[in-house]
Amino acid sequence: MAQRPAEQLHVPVLLERCLDLMAPALAEDGAVAVDATMGMGGHSEALLRRFPRLQLVAIDRDPQAHALAGARLAPFADRFHPVHTTYDRIPEALAQHGFDTADAVLFDLGVSSLQLDERERGFAYSYDAPLDMRMDSTAPVTAQDVLNDYSEADLRRILRDWGEERFASRIARAVVERRAQAPLRTTGELVEVVRAAVPQGAQHRKGHPAKQTFQALRIEVNEELDVLRRAVPAALDAVPVGGRVVAMSYHSLEDRIVKQAFARGATSTAPKGFPVELDEHKPTLRILTRGTETPTPREIEENPRAASARLRAAERIRQNPPHSPQNAQRYNA
Protein backbone atom coordinates (compact mmCIF):
# COMPACT_ATOMS: atom_id res chain seq x y z
CA MET A 1 0.00 0.00 0.00
CA ALA A 2 1.33 3.45 -0.92
CA GLN A 3 2.31 5.67 2.01
CA ARG A 4 -0.02 8.67 2.47
CA PRO A 5 1.58 12.13 2.37
CA ALA A 6 2.90 13.30 5.74
CA GLU A 7 0.36 16.11 6.03
CA GLN A 8 -2.44 13.53 6.01
CA LEU A 9 -0.84 11.43 8.74
CA HIS A 10 -0.26 13.94 11.52
CA VAL A 11 -1.97 16.94 13.14
CA PRO A 12 0.63 19.09 14.93
CA VAL A 13 -0.17 19.69 18.58
CA LEU A 14 -0.61 23.25 19.93
CA LEU A 15 0.64 24.53 16.60
CA GLU A 16 -0.43 28.18 16.73
CA ARG A 17 0.60 28.60 20.35
CA CYS A 18 4.07 27.23 19.60
CA LEU A 19 4.45 29.61 16.67
CA ASP A 20 3.26 32.57 18.74
CA LEU A 21 5.74 31.79 21.51
CA MET A 22 8.62 31.56 19.03
CA ALA A 23 7.55 34.55 16.90
CA PRO A 24 9.31 37.39 18.81
CA ALA A 25 12.64 35.60 18.36
CA LEU A 26 12.06 34.95 14.65
CA ALA A 27 10.94 38.40 13.50
CA GLU A 28 14.25 39.45 11.92
CA ASP A 29 15.33 38.50 8.41
CA GLY A 30 17.78 35.61 8.45
CA ALA A 31 16.51 34.19 11.75
CA VAL A 32 17.43 30.55 12.42
CA ALA A 33 15.17 28.03 14.14
CA VAL A 34 15.69 24.40 15.12
CA ASP A 35 12.85 21.90 14.97
CA ALA A 36 14.57 19.37 17.22
CA THR A 37 11.91 16.71 16.67
CA MET A 38 10.92 17.06 13.00
CA GLY A 39 8.75 13.95 12.73
CA MET A 40 6.55 14.29 9.66
CA GLY A 41 7.31 17.99 9.35
CA GLY A 42 4.09 19.58 10.55
CA HIS A 43 5.69 22.14 12.85
CA SER A 44 8.56 22.63 10.39
CA GLU A 45 6.19 23.44 7.53
CA ALA A 46 4.21 25.88 9.67
CA LEU A 47 7.40 27.67 10.72
CA LEU A 48 8.64 27.97 7.14
CA ARG A 49 5.29 29.29 5.93
CA ARG A 50 4.79 31.82 8.71
CA PHE A 51 8.36 33.17 8.60
CA PRO A 52 9.23 33.43 4.88
CA ARG A 53 12.90 34.35 5.49
CA LEU A 54 13.52 31.79 8.20
CA GLN A 55 16.33 29.25 7.96
CA LEU A 56 15.22 25.99 9.59
CA VAL A 57 17.45 23.17 10.85
CA ALA A 58 15.26 20.09 11.36
CA ILE A 59 16.50 17.14 13.42
CA ASP A 60 15.16 13.61 13.58
CA ARG A 61 16.70 10.21 14.29
CA ASP A 62 14.10 8.33 12.22
CA PRO A 63 15.06 7.73 8.56
CA GLN A 64 11.39 7.19 7.64
CA ALA A 65 10.50 10.59 9.08
CA HIS A 66 13.22 12.17 6.93
CA ALA A 67 11.78 10.55 3.81
CA LEU A 68 8.24 11.74 4.52
CA ALA A 69 9.13 15.21 5.78
CA GLY A 70 11.67 15.68 3.00
CA ALA A 71 8.95 15.18 0.37
CA ARG A 72 6.55 17.44 2.24
CA LEU A 73 9.11 20.25 2.63
CA ALA A 74 10.71 20.03 -0.81
CA PRO A 75 9.21 23.43 -1.81
CA PHE A 76 11.32 25.02 0.95
CA ALA A 77 14.58 23.30 -0.01
CA ASP A 78 16.60 26.52 0.08
CA ARG A 79 15.58 27.18 3.70
CA PHE A 80 15.04 23.66 5.05
CA HIS A 81 18.12 21.88 6.41
CA PRO A 82 17.45 18.32 7.69
CA VAL A 83 19.89 16.45 9.93
CA HIS A 84 19.72 12.75 10.83
CA THR A 85 20.76 12.66 14.48
CA THR A 86 19.39 12.76 18.03
CA TYR A 87 18.11 16.06 19.37
CA ASP A 88 20.83 16.46 21.96
CA ARG A 89 23.22 17.17 19.04
CA ILE A 90 21.83 20.66 18.36
CA PRO A 91 25.23 22.46 18.21
CA GLU A 92 26.56 19.89 15.73
CA ALA A 93 23.39 20.06 13.62
CA LEU A 94 23.64 23.85 13.43
CA ALA A 95 27.33 23.74 12.58
CA GLN A 96 26.69 21.19 9.82
CA HIS A 97 24.73 23.88 7.96
CA GLY A 98 26.98 26.80 8.83
CA PHE A 99 25.10 28.30 11.77
CA ASP A 100 26.59 29.23 15.14
CA THR A 101 23.36 29.83 17.06
CA ALA A 102 19.59 29.42 16.75
CA ASP A 103 17.06 32.10 17.58
CA ALA A 104 14.47 29.53 18.66
CA VAL A 105 14.33 25.80 19.35
CA LEU A 106 11.20 23.63 19.38
CA PHE A 107 10.81 20.20 20.99
CA ASP A 108 7.74 18.00 20.40
CA LEU A 109 8.78 15.07 22.56
CA GLY A 110 7.79 11.42 22.80
CA VAL A 111 6.77 8.91 20.16
CA SER A 112 5.38 10.31 16.90
CA SER A 113 2.11 9.45 15.17
CA LEU A 114 4.16 7.93 12.37
CA GLN A 115 5.86 5.51 14.75
CA LEU A 116 2.63 4.60 16.53
CA ASP A 117 0.70 4.02 13.31
CA GLU A 118 3.33 1.93 11.50
CA ARG A 119 2.47 -1.48 12.92
CA GLU A 120 5.76 -3.14 12.09
CA ARG A 121 7.60 -0.63 14.32
CA GLY A 122 6.16 -2.34 17.43
CA PHE A 123 5.38 0.82 19.43
CA ALA A 124 1.69 0.06 19.97
CA TYR A 125 0.06 -2.53 22.22
CA SER A 126 -3.18 -2.51 20.23
CA TYR A 127 -1.97 -4.84 17.46
CA ASP A 128 0.55 -7.64 17.09
CA ALA A 129 3.95 -6.72 15.65
CA PRO A 130 7.64 -7.48 16.14
CA LEU A 131 9.08 -6.12 19.40
CA ASP A 132 11.15 -3.34 17.85
CA MET A 133 10.36 0.18 19.23
CA ARG A 134 13.46 1.81 17.72
CA MET A 135 12.95 5.43 16.70
CA ASP A 136 16.08 5.05 14.57
CA SER A 137 15.77 1.83 12.60
CA THR A 138 19.56 1.70 12.26
CA ALA A 139 20.11 1.55 16.04
CA PRO A 140 21.39 -1.78 17.39
CA VAL A 141 19.09 -2.48 20.38
CA THR A 142 15.39 -3.43 20.08
CA ALA A 143 12.68 -4.03 22.65
CA GLN A 144 13.09 -7.73 21.97
CA ASP A 145 16.72 -7.49 23.04
CA VAL A 146 15.78 -5.72 26.27
CA LEU A 147 13.06 -8.19 27.20
CA ASN A 148 15.11 -11.30 26.44
CA ASP A 149 18.57 -10.19 27.59
CA TYR A 150 18.11 -7.89 30.61
CA SER A 151 18.23 -9.35 34.10
CA GLU A 152 15.05 -9.46 36.16
CA ALA A 153 16.45 -6.67 38.35
CA ASP A 154 17.11 -4.41 35.34
CA LEU A 155 13.68 -5.11 33.88
CA ARG A 156 12.11 -4.24 37.22
CA ARG A 157 14.13 -1.02 37.35
CA ILE A 158 13.13 0.26 33.93
CA LEU A 159 9.47 -0.66 34.43
CA ARG A 160 9.48 1.17 37.76
CA ASP A 161 11.57 4.20 36.75
CA TRP A 162 10.62 4.74 33.10
CA GLY A 163 7.07 3.36 33.17
CA GLU A 164 6.12 4.31 36.73
CA GLU A 165 4.58 0.84 36.78
CA ARG A 166 3.10 -0.18 40.12
CA PHE A 167 3.44 -3.88 39.30
CA ALA A 168 7.00 -3.71 37.95
CA SER A 169 8.22 -6.64 40.06
CA ARG A 170 5.39 -8.93 39.01
CA ILE A 171 5.77 -8.07 35.33
CA ALA A 172 9.57 -8.47 35.36
CA ARG A 173 9.26 -11.86 37.03
CA ALA A 174 6.60 -12.94 34.53
CA VAL A 175 8.79 -11.88 31.58
CA VAL A 176 11.73 -13.90 32.89
CA GLU A 177 9.54 -16.96 33.43
CA ARG A 178 8.00 -16.67 29.95
CA ARG A 179 11.31 -16.19 28.11
CA ALA A 180 12.72 -19.30 29.83
CA GLN A 181 10.22 -21.26 27.72
CA ALA A 182 10.78 -19.31 24.47
CA PRO A 183 12.06 -15.82 23.61
CA LEU A 184 9.50 -13.04 23.48
CA ARG A 185 9.25 -11.83 19.88
CA THR A 186 5.98 -9.92 19.39
CA THR A 187 3.97 -7.18 21.07
CA GLY A 188 1.04 -9.56 21.37
CA GLU A 189 3.12 -12.00 23.41
CA LEU A 190 4.23 -9.18 25.71
CA VAL A 191 0.64 -8.00 26.22
CA GLU A 192 -0.30 -11.57 27.22
CA VAL A 193 2.49 -11.64 29.81
CA VAL A 194 1.47 -8.27 31.27
CA ARG A 195 -2.22 -9.19 31.44
CA ALA A 196 -1.35 -12.39 33.30
CA ALA A 197 0.91 -10.54 35.75
CA VAL A 198 -1.28 -7.54 36.62
CA PRO A 199 -4.16 -8.22 39.06
CA GLN A 200 -7.51 -8.28 37.31
CA GLY A 201 -8.92 -5.46 39.41
CA ALA A 202 -6.09 -3.09 38.44
CA GLN A 203 -5.96 -3.84 34.72
CA HIS A 204 -7.75 -0.75 33.41
CA ARG A 205 -7.18 1.87 36.09
CA LYS A 206 -4.73 3.76 33.84
CA GLY A 207 -6.01 2.64 30.47
CA HIS A 208 -4.57 -0.44 28.80
CA PRO A 209 -2.70 -2.64 31.34
CA ALA A 210 0.41 -2.75 29.11
CA LYS A 211 0.57 1.01 28.47
CA GLN A 212 3.23 1.75 31.07
CA THR A 213 5.29 -1.31 30.16
CA PHE A 214 5.41 -0.21 26.52
CA GLN A 215 6.36 3.32 27.58
CA ALA A 216 9.20 2.00 29.74
CA LEU A 217 10.59 -0.20 26.97
CA ARG A 218 10.40 2.58 24.39
CA ILE A 219 12.27 4.97 26.68
CA GLU A 220 14.94 2.36 27.40
CA VAL A 221 15.45 1.31 23.79
CA ASN A 222 15.82 4.91 22.61
CA GLU A 223 17.55 6.32 25.72
CA GLU A 224 14.94 9.06 25.57
CA LEU A 225 15.36 10.60 29.01
CA ASP A 226 19.16 10.54 28.89
CA VAL A 227 19.04 12.29 25.51
CA LEU A 228 16.51 14.83 26.81
CA ARG A 229 18.62 15.66 29.88
CA ARG A 230 21.41 16.65 27.49
CA ALA A 231 19.15 18.22 24.89
CA VAL A 232 17.42 20.93 26.93
CA PRO A 233 20.67 22.52 28.18
CA ALA A 234 22.09 22.21 24.65
CA ALA A 235 19.07 24.07 23.27
CA LEU A 236 19.31 26.79 25.93
CA ASP A 237 23.01 27.22 25.20
CA ALA A 238 22.31 27.46 21.46
CA VAL A 239 20.05 30.54 21.70
CA PRO A 240 21.35 34.10 22.22
CA VAL A 241 19.76 36.72 24.45
CA GLY A 242 16.18 37.07 23.20
CA GLY A 243 16.17 33.50 21.91
CA ARG A 244 13.42 31.12 22.94
CA VAL A 245 13.06 27.40 23.67
CA VAL A 246 9.61 25.79 23.47
CA ALA A 247 9.02 22.22 24.65
CA MET A 248 5.97 19.96 24.55
CA SER A 249 6.02 16.79 26.63
CA TYR A 250 3.53 13.96 26.97
CA HIS A 251 4.31 12.35 30.30
CA SER A 252 5.51 13.47 33.69
CA LEU A 253 9.10 12.22 33.32
CA GLU A 254 9.71 14.36 30.23
CA ASP A 255 7.94 17.37 31.69
CA ARG A 256 9.95 17.16 34.91
CA ILE A 257 13.25 17.31 33.01
CA VAL A 258 12.12 20.36 31.02
CA LYS A 259 10.70 22.08 34.09
CA GLN A 260 13.87 21.58 36.13
CA ALA A 261 16.17 22.81 33.35
CA PHE A 262 14.07 25.95 32.85
CA ALA A 263 13.81 26.54 36.60
CA ARG A 264 17.58 26.37 37.06
CA GLY A 265 18.08 29.12 34.52
CA ALA A 266 15.23 31.25 35.88
CA THR A 267 16.52 31.18 39.48
CA SER A 268 19.09 33.47 41.03
CA THR A 269 22.31 31.72 42.03
CA ALA A 270 23.12 34.23 44.77
CA PRO A 271 24.08 32.50 48.03
CA LYS A 272 21.30 32.42 50.59
CA GLY A 273 21.42 35.53 52.74
CA PHE A 274 23.76 37.33 50.32
CA PRO A 275 23.02 41.07 50.74
CA VAL A 276 23.37 42.03 47.05
CA GLU A 277 22.53 40.03 43.93
CA LEU A 278 25.53 40.43 41.63
CA ASP A 279 25.06 40.39 37.87
CA GLU A 280 26.70 36.99 37.68
CA HIS A 281 24.02 35.58 40.01
CA LYS A 282 21.02 36.94 38.12
CA PRO A 283 18.74 34.51 36.25
CA THR A 284 19.60 33.74 32.64
CA LEU A 285 16.05 32.71 31.64
CA ARG A 286 12.54 34.10 31.83
CA ILE A 287 9.72 31.58 31.93
CA LEU A 288 7.08 32.44 29.32
CA THR A 289 4.34 30.04 30.38
CA ARG A 290 2.52 29.93 33.70
CA GLY A 291 3.01 26.34 34.73
CA THR A 292 2.18 24.18 31.74
CA GLU A 293 -0.22 25.05 28.95
CA THR A 294 -2.49 22.36 27.55
CA PRO A 295 -4.45 21.82 24.31
CA THR A 296 -7.96 23.20 23.91
CA PRO A 297 -10.93 20.79 23.94
CA ARG A 298 -11.26 21.37 20.19
CA GLU A 299 -7.63 20.38 19.58
CA ILE A 300 -8.11 17.22 21.63
CA GLU A 301 -11.27 16.39 19.69
CA GLU A 302 -9.38 16.77 16.39
CA ASN A 303 -6.33 14.87 17.67
CA PRO A 304 -7.03 12.68 20.74
CA ARG A 305 -3.30 11.97 21.17
CA ALA A 306 -2.85 15.65 22.08
CA ALA A 307 -4.74 15.20 25.36
CA SER A 308 -1.64 14.62 27.48
CA ALA A 309 0.47 17.39 25.91
CA ARG A 310 2.09 19.89 28.28
CA LEU A 311 3.75 23.02 26.91
CA ARG A 312 6.53 25.06 28.52
CA ALA A 313 8.62 27.90 27.09
CA ALA A 314 11.52 30.06 28.21
CA GLU A 315 13.42 33.07 26.86
CA ARG A 316 17.13 33.73 27.35
CA ILE A 317 17.57 37.11 29.03
CA ARG A 318 21.27 36.88 29.87
CA GLN A 319 24.20 34.72 28.85
CA ASN A 320 25.56 32.16 31.30
CA PRO A 321 28.69 33.39 33.08
CA PRO A 322 31.69 31.15 32.21
CA HIS A 323 31.75 29.51 35.66
CA SER A 324 28.03 29.51 36.40
CA PRO A 325 26.30 26.57 38.13
CA GLN A 326 24.38 25.99 34.88
CA ASN A 327 27.61 25.51 32.95
CA ALA A 328 29.15 23.37 35.67
CA GLN A 329 26.09 21.12 35.75
CA ARG A 330 26.03 20.84 31.97
CA TYR A 331 29.68 19.88 31.60
CA ASN A 332 29.58 17.45 34.51
CA ALA A 333 26.40 15.71 33.33
Side-chain angles (χ1 to χ4, degrees):
M1 181 183 293
Q3 176 72 65
R4 286 182 293 156
E7 57 270 26
Q8 296 178 17
L9 292 167
H10 175 57
V11 179
V13 178
L14 286 163
L15 178 60
E16 291 304 317
R17 182 56 176 150
C18 288
L19 297 181
D20 289 345
L21 284 165
M22 299 171 78
L26 301 177
E28 300 295 327
D29 287 358
V32 177
V34 173
D35 183 349
T37 47
M38 176 182 65
M40 287 178 284
H43 288 102
S44 288
E45 181 179 17
L47 282 162
L48 289 162
R49 289 192 183 281
R50 179 156 170 181
F51 305 102
R53 290 179 174 81
L54 177 71
Q55 296 291 325
L56 181 72
V57 174
I59 295 171
D60 208 288
R61 67 170 82 181
D62 188 342
Q64 189 175 3
H66 277 276
L68 286 165
R72 178 179 191 167
L73 300 172
F76 307 97
D78 59 330
R79 299 190 290 122
F80 167 61
H81 311 289
V83 180
H84 178 218
T85 191
T86 52
Y87 52 70
D88 57 336
R89 311 290 289 180
I90 290 171
E92 294 87 345
L94 286 165
Q96 183 174 321
H97 291 284
F99 303 114
D100 296 324
T101 62
D103 298 287
V105 179
L106 173 66
F107 293 99
D108 184 7
L109 301 167
V111 64
S112 73
S113 295
L114 168 66
Q115 291 156 348
L116 284 171
D117 291 339
E118 293 291 316
R119 296 191 176 195
E120 65 272 17
R121 305 290 292 272
F123 283 97
Y125 41 74
S126 52
Y127 30 70
D128 200 24
L131 280 163
D132 192 324
M133 300 194 195
R134 290 174 296 173
M135 291 179 174
D136 182 347
S137 57
T138 67
V141 177
T142 68
Q144 181 176 323
D145 297 325
V146 172
L147 285 165
N148 291 307
D149 297 342
Y150 277 33
S151 68
E152 182 177 335
D154 282 338
L155 288 172
R156 182 170 59 248
R157 172 184 54 79
I158 68 167
L159 290 169
R160 182 190 64 231
D161 294 350
W162 301 158
E164 300 179 293
E165 172 56 68
R166 176 184 173 190
F167 300 104
S169 294
R170 296 177 65 142
I171 295 170
R173 188 179 313 117
V175 166
V176 171
E177 291 173 355
R178 173 65 176 268
R179 77 190 189 191
Q181 303 168 23
L184 286 159
R185 300 190 185 280
T186 70
T187 57
E189 291 171 352
L190 177 58
V191 168
E192 288 177 6
V193 171
V194 174
R195 284 191 185 278
V198 174
Q200 191 70 30
Q203 293 220 356
H204 296 283
R205 288 181 182 173
K206 291 187 177 181
H208 194 284
K211 177 180 179 180
Q212 290 160 279
T213 295
F214 273 65
Q215 173 182 299
L217 286 169
R218 191 197 81 218
I219 289 172
E220 178 69 14
V221 166
N222 298 288
E223 300 180 302
E224 289 179 50
L225 299 183
D226 291 335
V227 172
L228 183 58
R229 287 190 187 97
R230 297 189 296 268
V232 181
L236 293 170
D237 280 353
V239 298
V241 172
R244 296 184 168 205
V245 176
V246 177
M248 279 183 292
S249 55
Y250 295 84
H251 59 74
S252 61
L253 299 174
E254 292 173 338
D255 183 55
R256 189 178 306 140
I257 291 170
V258 174
K259 177 183 178 181
Q260 290 173 348
F262 284 2
R264 281 194 297 271
T267 302
S268 171
T269 60
K272 192 172 182 179
F274 207 65
V276 178
E277 183 184 45
L278 303 177
D279 283 346
E280 65 194 63
H281 295 147
K282 291 180 179 178
T284 59
L285 302 179
R286 177 170 68 96
I287 306 299
L288 300 172
T289 48
R290 180 176 295 180
T292 56
E293 297 185 9
T294 57
T296 64
R298 181 175 178 179
E299 285 182 298
I300 295 171
E301 182 180 353
E302 292 175 351
N303 180 10
R305 289 174 182 162
S308 60
R310 299 293 180 266
L311 176 67
R312 295 183 187 271
E315 178 186 18
R316 178 165 289 286
I317 58 174
R318 192 174 68 87
Q319 290 297 343
N320 286 336
H323 303 293
S324 69
Q326 292 96 331
N327 278 334
Q329 182 158 9
R330 181 177 74 254
Y331 295 131
N332 292 331

